[in-house]
Every structure is written in C-alpha cells, then in structure tokens.
Amino acid sequence: MTQLPKRIRITVGGVRLEAELKGTKTAAAVYAALPVQAPINVWGEEFYFKISGVTDYRETATNKVQVGDIAYWGAGQVLAIFFGRTPMSMGSDPVPADRVNVVGRIVGDATQLRRVMEAATITVEQG
C-alpha cells in the first residue's frame, strides 16, 4: 500500500499555502516537529526560519532547488521555502547558500509569497 504524502499548511500574512512532504526521514522529522510559529528571515525570494528538534539525515543534500521547494538546512537548523531568485541565483531558479535537504514542495503557486515579504512571522502546521 502506497503511503500518501504528508500535507502541511503554511501561513504568512494573508497568504496560506499547502505543501506535500516527501517520504524521507528528514521530512518525517520536520512533520513531527510541527506546528511551529517563528520569525521569518528573508534572503532574496526565500523565507527561512528556525525549527528545532529535527534531525538532518542529508538523504537529498543538494544545491539545486526550484521555486516551490521546501528544504531543511541542518547546519542552521532552519526550514527554507524558495519562491523566487536568491542572491546566488544566476538564472530564474533559486540557489541556496549551502547544500540543503529538499523535504517537500508547495502545492500551487509559491510566488504568492512575494506579496507578504514584509510579514514578521510564519506558521507551519500539519495539514
């Protein structure tokens, strides 16, 4: 029997998005650490925020991410949501500052997050 992807809800300002997590151990650890409400840090068109209690298994450590990807960076204990270019981007794709574990993906239009870049906090909960 195939396990359905775990869904999460992300709320920033007036924008609410859903995402699906991958079937990796790191993604399961992120899911288990929810709900979280945290101050947002912004780096280009990337939101990142502290999430504690997550083990980074580095199954998918990569520098290649796409708009809509959700990734965990173990060294900083942060979850990152990519919705556009970052300061290290050469083309239209975001580029993380360091290798990250992609743990999930926004369902729908991640670029909606551009409308709430002034928001102070983010809430991520099990969906």
Side-chain angles (χ1 to χ4, degrees), residues 35-56:
V36 64
Q37 183 172 33
I40 298 177
N41 299 288
V42 180
W43 192 62
E45 292 179 331
E46 169 193 335
F47 286 156
Y48 67 96
F49 54 95
K50 280 273 192 208
I51 182 168
S52 53
V54 175
T55 300
D56 185 2

Side-chain angles (χ1 to χ4, degrees), residues 47-69:
F47 286 156
Y48 67 96
F49 54 95
K50 280 273 192 208
I51 182 168
S52 53
V54 175
T55 300
D56 185 2
Y57 294 96
R58 297 187 69 78
E59 307 99 325
T60 60
T62 183
N63 283 56
K64 298 217 179 300
V65 297
Q66 297 178 323
V67 170
D69 281 349

Side-chain angles (χ1 to χ4, degrees), residues 43-45 65 67 82 84-97:
W43 192 62
E45 292 179 331
V65 297
V67 170
F82 298 95
R85 293 170 50 92
T86 62
M88 291 179 66
S89 294
M90 295 296 175
S92 59
D93 286 337
V95 177

